[in-house]
Amino acid sequence: MDELRRYLAIVRKDLRVEFRTREILYTTTLFALLLVVIFAFAFLSDPAKSRDYGPGIVWVTVLFATTVGQNRLFDRERENDCLWALLLSPAAPSTVFLAKATAQIAFALLMQIPTILLILVFFDLRVTDPLAFVGALALGNVALGLVGTLFAAMLMNSRMKEVLLPLVTYPLFVPVVIAGVKVTAVAIGAPIAEDPEVWLRFLAGFDMIFAVVTVALFGRMVRA
Amino acid sequence: MDKRGIGLSAIGYGLTVIAAGFLAAALYAVFFIAPQEAVLGISQKIFYFHVGSAINMLIVFGICAIAGLVYLSIGNVRRSWADVADAIGVATAEVGVTLGVVVLITGPLWARKAWGTWWTWEPRLTLSLMVFLLFLAYLALRAFAGSDRFGRGVAAGLSILGIPAVYFIHFAVDRWGGAHPQVVYKGGLTQPGMRLAFGLSVAGMFLLSAALVWLRLTTERERQRLDALYLEVDRRAG
């Protein structure tokens, strides 16, 4: 029970700071919207074909904008070595990690709501299976959030964290992107023979296994 | 260099000589004993070293992940274990990436002849590429995230996460690839000359990898000792 209170306290702290400054939300949302515009100029030659590349655009935008946000996630913890203060508090390292990951996933989802609506409008996509569409994004964001938060924390003090973070996380994100693109394609009615349920289960499995491994690793990595 | 150091590098040079012998025998077997494949002709001979490198790449990366596990578990308690595990991690990752380059150069060469294209997104090929990229990222971490405890810890963590990641990537690219060309060696090597050449290539590449890992490992251990000496000098002077 105490751990739950500590977890909620850290999540509340992050959300409050963010809603007062809007640093991450404002910058990542704007970045994502600009990406969508660029993609429109780069790909939108034949609107009839938008169902072919629409899923890819959704996921590349999600991936890039989330990475930009993850790079900023531990900015406040870096100042005055506040991450050590958090770790010295009675909260277990896994509680600190899960709280930061929760905040990250919340920021990413908030940023994606206007972004994805804009993609649907700009590329004239119709969601035929809203449950699968939202499910893939939710499960995918949990996966990105867990892995990204782990490495964002570890690379917090690195001079080259901006480039190192995607270098490290993108190979691990490849299965998430594959699964996400497949489900999104089915959900917008693209003519492919795929069972979205298999890929949603796959994403859920990814989330579960990586939740266990990243939580176990975080405590050891900060102590190593 | 003290006596122990000389003994350790002697093992490395010994391994190198044995590996050279095996690789020479493998080359002989590949070109003079193994018969030419009926359909693919001479291009099939790339297969012996291609698969030999691929198998050893996976072995070496597996050891790297185990070293990462040791570093983050036992290494947290015992400093000396941490240093050894860390040195093994660097050595295996670098040798594995080298083997990966061999795999990714010989693969397309063969694919061009066998399938008529330099690259296909065939599951096995895609998986090799992803594992290769994962460990290139590992080396980037080692080079640029700092050699302090933080940098070493994050690299070890990445090598461990590689294990579940490879499983998921394997499943995903398998389903994603859809219809892919039937891999030629599915039926197995029935001809004894081919089997001999294949066995010698795999063993030769294994010994070569072992020699390279060993030499890199001893160098890294020397570097660690030198670092410790520098710290000692600083401490005494200060």
Side-chain angles (χ1 to χ4, degrees):
Chain A
M1 245 9 240
D2 279 352
E3 279 309 303
L4 186 66
R5 271 195 306 127
R6 287 166 194 145
Y7 165 83
L8 289 173
I10 300 173
V11 175
R12 250 202 313 268
K13 170 211 68 127
D14 264 23
L15 292 181
R16 185 176 299 145
V17 170
E18 181 54 36
F19 288 136
R20 287 191 184 157
T21 62
R22 295 183 204 92
E23 273 180 6
I24 295 178
L25 279 176
Y26 185 79
T27 50
T28 54
T29 310
L30 187 57
F31 178 66
L33 298 182
L34 286 168
L35 273 178
V36 175
V37 173
I38 302 265
F39 281 136
F41 290 131
F43 291 110
L44 200 61
S45 53
D46 179 5
K49 286 202 191 117
S50 69
R51 273 195 311 194
D52 294 349
Y53 45 75
I57 288 172
V58 168
W59 282 90
V60 173
T61 310
V62 165
L63 192 63
F64 285 3
T66 304
T67 305
V68 171
Q70 286 171 348
N71 259 322
R72 298 272 77 85
L73 184 64
F74 282 92
D75 269 5
R76 275 170 220 293
E77 272 75 14
R78 194 181 51 206
E79 288 163 21
N80 303 323
D81 278 340
C82 288
L83 184 61
W84 303 120
L86 275 182
L87 290 169
L88 284 170
S89 75
S94 50
T95 310
V96 175
F97 173 73
L98 285 175
K100 289 300 285 184
T102 309
Q104 200 283 313
I105 294 164
F107 299 155
L109 289 173
L110 282 175
M111 167 272 288
Q112 283 159 31
I113 293 169
T115 309
I116 285 170
L117 287 176
L118 196 70
I119 293 177
L120 295 180
V121 173
F122 275 5
F123 293 88
D124 192 24
L125 301 170
R126 287 212 177 89
V127 180
T128 52
D129 187 350
L131 205 62
F133 190 85
V134 174
L137 280 169
L139 291 170
N141 271 298
V142 172
L144 305 189
L146 287 168
V147 177
T149 305
L150 177 72
F151 285 104
M154 298 312 297
L155 293 170
M156 182 175 78
N157 288 312
S158 167
R159 195 167 47 84
M160 291 181 63
K161 69 178 160 108
E162 267 82 6
V163 280
L164 284 177
L165 184 67
L167 279 187
V168 170
T169 52
Y170 284 9
L172 302 171
F173 288 161
V174 161
V176 179
V177 172
I178 293 177
V181 167
K182 288 283 186 199
V183 179
T184 308
V186 175
I188 61 168
I192 55 165
E194 277 288 349
D195 182 6
E197 205 187 311
V198 174
W199 289 109
L200 285 171
R201 269 171 210 233
F202 173 81
L203 282 173
F206 189 101
D207 287 354
M208 273 190 275
I209 289 185
F210 274 78
V212 174
V213 181
T214 48
V215 166
L217 280 177
F218 180 76
R220 293 180 182 283
M221 278 159 79
V222 288
R223 241 181 301 146
Chain B
M1 199 186 272
D2 56 19
K3 266 196 182 136
R4 196 167 143 268
I6 294 170
L8 288 176
S9 47
I11 295 178
Y13 293 125
L15 271 171
T16 314
V17 172
I18 301 170
F22 263 82
L23 286 174
L27 276 174
Y28 182 81
V30 165
F31 285 106
F32 297 107
I33 299 177
Q36 220 176 79
E37 218 270 342
V39 187
L40 293 165
I42 199 160
S43 73
Q44 181 265 344
K45 292 188 187 294
I46 295 175
F47 152 86
Y48 298 108
F49 281 95
H50 174 70
V51 179
S53 308
I55 291 174
N56 285 300
M57 175 181 85
L58 291 178
I59 293 174
V60 164
F61 282 150
I63 296 171
C64 182
I66 294 169
L69 269 174
V70 172
Y71 180 84
L72 285 182
S73 52
I74 306 169
N76 269 344
V77 192
R78 295 187 188 189
R79 216 62 253 170
S80 57
W81 282 64
D83 281 345
V84 176
D86 186 61
I88 293 175
V90 185
T92 48
E94 286 183 5
V95 173
V97 165
T98 314
L99 288 168
V101 171
V102 175
V103 173
L104 291 174
I105 289 177
T106 53
L109 283 178
W110 187 30
R112 180 89 182 108
K113 283 291 172 192
W115 302 331
T117 167
W118 292 107
W119 184 266
T120 68
W121 291 95
E122 192 261 342
R124 216 175 295 221
L125 228 59
T126 316
L127 183 66
S128 304
L129 177 69
M130 290 319 301
V131 175
F132 178 69
L133 289 176
L134 195 70
F135 279 90
L136 276 186
Y138 178 95
L139 290 186
L141 277 182
R142 303 294 315 220
F144 304 120
S147 52
D148 58 347
R149 295 180 308 145
F150 241 53
R152 290 160 61 161
V154 65
L158 178 65
S159 67
I160 296 170
L161 276 181
I163 302 172
V166 164
Y167 172 77
F168 280 102
I169 295 171
H170 180 70
F171 177 90
V173 297
D174 234 13
R175 267 190 79 93
W176 171 76
H180 57 83
Q182 182 64 36
V183 178
V184 188
Y185 48 87
K186 269 264 168 73
L189 297 168
T190 43
Q191 217 282 332
M194 284 185 173
R195 248 187 265 162
L196 174 74
F198 181 60
L200 280 174
S201 310
V202 174
M205 288 309 284
F206 178 76
L207 287 165
L208 178 68
S209 318
L212 288 173
V213 168
W214 186 264
L215 291 171
R216 182 68 182 89
L217 179 62
T218 45
T219 324
E220 182 64 17
R221 293 291 288 157
E222 286 292 319
R223 199 192 58 73
Q224 285 175 351
R225 279 169 55 196
L226 193 63
D227 276 358
L229 286 176
Y230 270 125
L231 286 177
E232 181 74 16
V233 169
D234 262 7
R235 198 176 58 82
R236 292 200 183 175

